[in-house]
Amino acid sequence: MATKPTTVYLVGAGPGDPDLLTLKAHRILREADEILHDDLVPSAILAVANPAAAVANVGKRCGAKTMTQEQINARMIQSAREGRKVARLKGGDPGIFGRMAEEIDALEAAGIPFEVIPGITAGMAAAASLGISLTDRHKSSHATFVSAHPARHDGEDVRPDWKNIVHPDGVLVIYMPGSNHARLRDELIAAGLDPQMPTALISRASTAEQTIQYTTLMNLGRVPPAAAPSILLIGRSLDRASRRQRAPELSVLIDEATSIFSHR
Amino acid sequence: MATKPTTVYLVGAGPGDPDLLTLKAHRILREADEILHDDLVPSAILAVANPAAAVANVGKRCGAKTMTQEQINARMIQSAREGRKVARLKGGDPGIFGRMAEEIDALEAAGIPFEVIPGITAGMAAAASLGISLTDRHKSSHATFVSAHPARHDGEDVRPDWKNIVHPDGVLVIYMPGSNHARLRDELIAAGLDPQMPTALISRASTAEQTIQYTTLMNLGRVPPAAAPSILLIGRSLDRASRRQRAPELSVLIDEATSIFSHR
C-alpha cells in the first residue's frame, strides 16, 4: 500500500538574522529531515537544522545553477512520497521574488500537500534597519515591491515598466537592483521620478554584515554596488532616515550630495 | 544623576498566529515591563507577555481612540526615562500602515533610543494562506501595498490615486478595504483594471477565524465585508488559488461567479 505523502513546507528564512525567523519556521527547520535551500540563506540560519538532516544548496551561485528547477521539484516530490519531512527554504518571504509558483504547480500536479510559511522579506527588514515606515500618512500612501532584474520573454530581456510603476507618493522597494546604478537612475528619472528623491541601498539587512548607503536618486550612479542580497529604497518617507543620517555624529563620509556609511 | 533611557522597541506582532511571531519579537514580549498594543493584536499574542508586565490597549476601537497619539508618545517616553523596557506592539509589520513615523519622530525628539522589529505583514500572510506567490515570473512583476482607507487632507477625504497605482502585471495588496466593496470595484475598474481579475478577500489571515472569499473584481460588490483585519488581493497571480478553489472538494458554496468559503 502506498503511504500518504508528507506535507512539503515552503519556508521563508527571513532576511538573514536567525532571530528574525518566525517561531514556526524555526520549529520546522529543527524538525525537517531534508532542507533544500536557496543560495543566499546564511549559515547562521542553516545551523538551526537538526544535525541529522540532509541539507542541500539548490540555488544559483553566480548565475550557475546547482540543480535545475525540474530537479528541485522532482526531489521534493520524491522525498515527500518517501515520507520525509521536507523544508524548501527561501530567503526572505517565499512569495516575494522567490520563484515559488513553479514549485507549487509541480507539488499540486503530483498531489503532494504543501504549506507556505511566510517570512520577513528583505525590504521590510531594510526599512526597519533604517528606522522608517514604508508607508506614512503624510509622505507615502503605498509601497511597491519590484525587482530590477529583467524578465526574459521570447529570448529578450524586458525591463520593468517603470513609467507605470513609479509614483511621487509611493515608496519603491527594489529587489536585485543590479550593478548598473547609473542605468537604473536614468530609467527612473526618465519615468518621472524626482531626481532629489531620498534613496538608500541596504545590503544584507539585519545581519552583522549590513551596510547602508544613503544618497539621492540623482547621485545613485555614484554609489558602488553592494553585496547581495541588497535592497534599494526610494521615496519621500526616507526623508526621516536621511535627515537623521546627516546629523554630524553619524556621518562617517560625506561627498557633496552622496553620503555613504555603514552601521549595524 | 539622570539615568540613561532604555530602548523602546517598536515591534511587529505579525498577522495573528503567535507561531508567526519572530523569535526576537517573542523574546521582547516576554521581557518587556510594559506593552502598549494596537487594538487588533489578538489575545493569543498578548498571552506571551510576562504576567507581571503592564499591558495596555492604546488603539482605536470602532474609531474611538482610547489614547491620543500624543498620550501614547508621552507614555513611551516617560517609561523609557524611568528605565522600563517598553514594547510598542503593532499588528503585522510596524512599517506598513502602522502609523509608526509619528512615534519615531517623538522618540527622536525626546532623545530616546529605539529599535524597529519587523513582523509578518497581513498581506504576505494572506498570500501564504492562499498558497500563492505575490510576485510571479510569468504573471506578476510587482506587488503594491496600499490602503483603501481615505487619507484626510485639509478636512477632506482623499481616495487613493488608483489610476496611477493599478497595473495589469501587478498584484494589489489592499489593506483596510472597507465595507463599500461596490464603490471600490467601480473605482478600480474606472482606473483601468480588468473586471475579470481574480480577487480574494482574506480576513484574519493565519488565525483560527481566517476566512477566504474568492471572486473576480467584477463581482466584488457582491462579497460582504469581512471582520478586520482583512486584506483584498487582486491580480493575475491569484489564478492558481482560484483555480484550485474551484476543485469540487474545496468548494462549500458557489453562486454563479462568486464563491465563498472559509478554511483554516
Side-chain angles (χ1 to χ4, degrees):
Chain A
M1 197 183 97
T3 52
K4 210 179 145 205
T6 53
T7 297
V8 170
Y9 294 90
L10 300 149
V11 181
D17 179 357
D19 233 16
L20 293 180
L21 282 167
T22 64
L23 300 180
K24 195 168 190 175
H26 189 260
R27 192 177 59 244
I28 289 170
L29 289 185
R30 286 178 59 188
E31 292 173 354
D33 301 307
E34 190 167 337
I35 296 173
L36 305 175
H37 68 89
D38 282 351
D39 198 46
L40 291 171
V41 176
S43 57
I45 287 187
L46 299 174
V48 170
N50 181 338
V55 178
N57 179 350
V58 300
K60 283 190 288 187
R61 191 176 284 277
C62 302
K65 288 175 186 162
T66 51
M67 281 174 85
T68 65
Q69 189 60 62
E70 291 68 30
Q71 289 171 325
I72 296 169
N73 297 346
R75 179 150 169 186
M76 288 193 295
I77 291 165
Q78 186 186 344
S79 294
R81 285 185 175 150
E82 290 170 355
R84 292 157 64 79
K85 182 163 180 171
V86 179
R88 175 71 177 98
L89 187 64
K90 292 167 180 285
D93 181 88
I96 296 284
F97 305 113
R99 299 200 171 185
M100 181 171 69
E102 291 94 324
E103 298 182 3
I104 286 178
D105 283 352
L107 293 170
E108 287 196 314
I112 309 289
F114 68 89
E115 186 177 339
V116 181
I117 316 298
I120 304 290
T121 189
M124 294 196 190
S129 290
L130 263 57
I132 60 148
S133 188
L134 285 176
T135 66
D136 183 318
R137 268 199 298 170
H138 303 294
K139 298 190 175 180
S140 147
S141 65
H142 62 281
T144 297
F145 290 65
V146 56
S147 168
H149 195 73
R152 274 192 87 76
H153 285 297
D154 304 324
E156 299 219 3
D157 279 354
V158 179
R159 301 289 301 172
D161 179 18
W162 294 122
K163 195 165 164 32
N164 292 305
I165 291 175
V166 306
H167 193 290
D169 295 333
V171 167
L172 282 179
V173 185
I174 302 182
Y175 288 65
M176 294 171 265
S179 56
N180 196 339
H181 290 169
R183 174 178 172 178
L184 186 56
R185 172 203 60 200
D186 292 345
E187 289 177 349
L188 292 170
I189 291 174
L193 211 53
D194 180 354
Q196 296 301 330
M197 203 65 100
T199 297
L201 178 67
I202 303 96
S203 165
R204 299 187 176 169
S206 84
T207 72
E209 295 80 36
Q210 172 178 293
T211 63
I212 300 177
Q213 301 178 65
Y214 286 105
T215 184
T216 55
L217 178 56
M218 185 174 63
N219 288 303
L220 177 60
R222 299 157 67 184
V223 174
S230 67
I231 293 285
L232 194 61
L233 295 177
I234 308 179
R236 288 197 295 138
S237 62
L238 275 81
D239 274 350
R240 286 183 167 82
S242 53
R243 196 188 327 124
R244 196 183 307 141
Q245 193 274 329
R246 280 196 300 273
E249 69 276 18
L250 285 174
S251 298
V252 174
L253 185 155
I254 297 200
D255 80 29
E256 293 159 66
T258 304
S259 62
I260 300 178
F261 82 117
S262 66
H263 77 165
R264 165 74 214 239
Chain B
M1 197 183 97
T3 52
K4 213 179 141 204
T6 54
T7 297
V8 170
Y9 295 90
L10 300 149
V11 180
D17 178 357
D19 233 14
L20 292 180
L21 281 168
T22 64
L23 301 180
K24 194 167 189 175
H26 189 260
R27 192 177 60 243
I28 289 170
L29 288 184
R30 288 178 57 190
E31 293 173 354
D33 301 307
E34 189 166 339
I35 296 174
L36 306 176
H37 68 88
D38 282 352
D39 199 46
L40 290 171
V41 175
S43 57
I45 286 187
L46 299 174
V48 170
N50 181 338
V55 178
N57 180 350
V58 299
K60 284 190 288 188
R61 192 176 284 276
C62 303
K65 288 174 187 164
T66 50
M67 280 174 87
T68 65
Q69 189 59 62
E70 290 67 30
Q71 288 171 324
I72 296 169
N73 297 347
R75 179 151 170 186
M76 288 193 293
I77 291 165
Q78 187 186 343
S79 294
R81 286 186 174 151
E82 289 170 355
R84 292 157 65 78
K85 183 164 180 172
V86 179
R88 175 71 177 97
L89 188 63
K90 292 167 180 285
D93 180 89
I96 296 284
F97 305 114
R99 299 200 173 187
M100 180 171 67
E102 292 93 323
E103 298 183 4
I104 286 178
D105 283 352
L107 292 170
E108 286 197 313
I112 309 290
F114 67 91
E115 186 177 340
V116 181
I117 316 297
I120 304 290
T121 188
M124 294 195 189
S129 290
L130 262 59
I132 60 148
S133 188
L134 285 176
T135 66
D136 184 317
R137 269 200 296 169
H138 303 294
K139 299 191 175 179
S140 145
S141 65
H142 62 280
T144 297
F145 290 66
V146 56
S147 167
H149 195 72
R152 276 193 85 76
H153 285 297
D154 304 325
E156 298 220 0
D157 279 354
V158 179
R159 301 289 299 171
D161 178 19
W162 294 120
K163 194 162 165 34
N164 291 305
I165 292 175
V166 306
H167 192 289
D169 296 333
V171 168
L172 282 178
V173 185
I174 303 181
Y175 287 66
M176 294 169 264
S179 55
N180 195 338
H181 290 168
R183 173 179 172 178
L184 186 56
R185 172 203 60 200
D186 292 345
E187 290 177 346
L188 291 170
I189 291 174
L193 212 52
D194 179 355
Q196 297 302 330
M197 203 62 99
T199 297
L201 179 67
I202 304 97
S203 164
R204 298 187 177 170
S206 85
T207 73
E209 295 80 34
Q210 173 178 293
T211 63
I212 300 177
Q213 301 178 62
Y214 287 106
T215 184
T216 55
L217 178 55
M218 186 174 62
N219 287 303
L220 177 61
R222 299 157 65 185
V223 174
S230 66
I231 294 285
L232 194 61
L233 295 177
I234 308 179
R236 289 197 294 138
S237 61
L238 274 80
D239 275 348
R240 286 182 166 82
S242 54
R243 196 189 326 126
R244 194 183 310 140
Q245 193 274 329
R246 282 196 298 273
E249 69 275 19
L250 285 174
S251 298
V252 174
L253 185 155
I254 296 201
D255 81 28
E256 293 159 67
T258 302
S259 62
I260 300 180
F261 81 117
S262 66
H263 74 166
R264 167 76 211 240

